[in-house]
Amino acid sequence: MKKRQLGKSEIYVSEIGLGCMSLPTDQKAADNIIQVALENGITYFDTADLYENGENEKIVGNALKSNRQNIILATKVGNRLNKSGNGWSWDPSKEWITEAVHASLKRLQTDYIDVYQLHGGTMEDNVDEVIDTMESLKKEGLIRTYCISSIRPNVIDRFLRKSNAVSVMMQYSLLDRRPEEWLSLLENNSTSLLSRGTLAKGLLTAEGLTRAFKIDDYLNYTQQELLEVIKELDALDAPLSSIAQHYVLQQNVTGSMILGASSEEQLMESIKAYKIQVPESILQKASEITKREIYMEHRI
């Protein structure tokens, strides 16, 4: 599997990253999925302290500890669990980030985190304090680099202007092309895109039509519009999942697509789709099918 440089850092990530939020809570089942990922060249693994109240980090740490030197490990911070464990609040303070990173390191069974991501962000945050804290963690060797996971362009813009962040994680797919309005912002800051939602909850796979029949709408698509668009995409001379993946990968700023998998079979389907080359002409047709002026009216 090909790798891409993450921003200006020395870190290179596989074009497919495994989004670990979808992993089973059973350790053996999760181990099997992660083993499939490793065997197929996936080296980037993404989790968060919030997933399963920290249990996801434990599962990922157990599964990857023997391969630690060969993989890039990413997690997130900023959402603080309530004492009851059934809710959380936003806390980007120095105190919480410092406490949370040590907890994540323990759960992940590692001495350092490769990519530490602020898991959201608002314009009310003390962004200078957040950045200073991240820089301090770098100097201590607890993290190699830091980034932000956000869908708010004003938050992203401020964070990139003030920091040395090397990537931004955001939802981006053929069915959600809103981020294209500000991909130039990432490029101008030498920052990579970590794409989540590339397959649009399975709508951009072979099961797309079946899934579309079960929902009322998706973003600004009505069910009828969604069915029509998926049918048009299905008619193109390439598997829909392959088109969806390579559409995202064609962007110069893309570092990795974070794809989730709850089973070995599901992950292999994504990997097989990735290996199929898609001609530029088909990607252009897919772009024309899914380009909608309505998105220009609904900025994130």
Side-chain angles (χ1 to χ4, degrees):
M1 183 173 294
K2 294 180 181 179
K3 294 182 180 181
R4 298 188 178 193
Q5 185 178 12
L6 202 59
K8 290 182 178 179
S9 73
E10 297 179 353
I11 296 174
Y12 283 77
V13 294
S14 50
E15 290 189 329
I16 290 179
L18 183 63
C20 297
M21 183 175 69
S22 300
L23 289 176
T25 54
D26 176 75
Q27 185 68 56
K28 182 173 176 52
D31 287 347
N32 292 338
I33 295 172
I34 287 177
Q35 187 58 39
V36 169
L38 292 168
E39 290 172 355
N40 285 275
I42 293 176
T43 58
Y44 186 73
F45 296 84
D46 180 273
T47 180
D49 57 1
L50 186 66
Y51 302 161
E52 297 292 334
N53 295 358
E55 289 302 310
N56 191 263
E57 284 186 328
K58 290 181 181 179
I59 288 171
V60 172
N62 282 329
L64 289 171
K65 59 186 177 183
S66 62
N67 285 284
R68 184 64 185 95
Q69 301 303 315
N70 303 315
I71 59 101
I72 302 299
L73 190 55
T75 192
K76 308 180 191 76
V77 67
N79 292 295
R80 186 171 189 164
L81 282 170
N82 299 335
K83 290 183 179 180
S84 63
N86 57 8
W88 62 86
S89 58
W90 177 242
D91 187 353
S93 67
K94 176 181 180 179
E95 291 76 18
W96 175 244
I97 293 174
T98 303
E99 179 181 337
V101 72
H102 287 284
S104 286
L105 288 167
K106 183 177 180 179
R107 288 190 291 264
L108 291 166
Q109 300 182 56
T110 183
D111 296 326
Y112 66 95
I113 293 164
D114 296 291
V115 182
Y116 204 38
Q117 301 164 93
L118 186 66
H119 201 177
T122 72
M123 291 303 290
E124 288 70 44
D125 296 343
N126 185 340
V127 68
D128 293 322
E129 180 179 272
V130 172
I131 293 167
D132 286 345
T133 304
M134 293 294 194
E135 291 289 349
S136 295
L137 296 180
K138 277 181 65 176
K139 289 178 182 178
E140 291 181 59
L142 299 180
I143 65 174
R144 292 179 65 190
T145 191
Y146 62 91
C147 317
I148 186 169
S149 174
S150 176
I151 59 172
R152 300 181 176 92
N154 54 347
V155 170
I156 294 170
D157 179 43
R158 184 179 65 170
F159 198 82
L160 295 186
R161 282 189 287 105
K162 287 176 168 283
S163 75
N164 294 308
V166 299
S167 68
V168 177
M169 179 181 286
M170 65 175 75
Q171 181 170 301
Y172 178 47
S173 74
L174 267 170
L175 293 179
D176 187 0
R177 295 176 56 183
R178 292 171 292 179
E180 290 177 6
E181 293 185 67
W182 54 85
L183 289 184
S184 59
L185 171 64
L186 275 63
E187 189 169 8
N188 293 338
N189 284 276
S190 300
T191 306
S192 295
L193 165 70
L194 296 175
S195 167
R196 62 178 177 83
T198 304
L199 300 178
K201 297 184 177 180
L203 292 169
L204 295 174
T205 67
E207 299 178 356
L209 282 176
T210 301
R211 290 176 181 263
F213 273 115
K214 296 179 180 179
I215 60 176
D216 294 328
D217 52 43
Y218 182 76
L219 299 176
N220 289 311
Y221 286 92
T222 65
Q223 184 190 64
Q224 187 57 42
E225 289 172 333
L226 192 60
L227 291 169
E228 290 172 1
V229 166
I230 293 174
K231 286 177 182 177
E232 286 189 70
L233 292 171
D234 272 337
L236 298 176
D237 194 20
L240 182 49
S241 183
S242 300
I243 295 172
Q245 290 187 42
H246 287 285
Y247 179 80
V248 169
L249 287 173
Q250 73 175 343
Q251 298 287 355
N252 292 330
V253 296
T254 300
S256 182
M257 303 176 295
I258 312 304
L259 303 182
S262 57
S263 68
E264 298 164 63
E265 294 75 19
Q266 189 178 52
L267 179 57
M268 278 307 306
E269 286 176 8
S270 292
I271 293 170
K272 289 176 181 177
Y274 162 80
K275 292 179 178 179
I276 297 173
Q277 296 301 309
V278 180
E280 176 63 33
S281 58
I282 291 181
L283 294 178
Q284 181 58 40
K285 290 178 181 177
S287 176
E288 293 169 0
I289 291 170
T290 59
K291 187 171 184 178
R292 310 177 78 214
E293 293 301 324
I294 192 171
Y295 282 127
M296 299 303 177
E297 302 170 10
H298 296 271
R299 289 176 167 80
I300 292 177

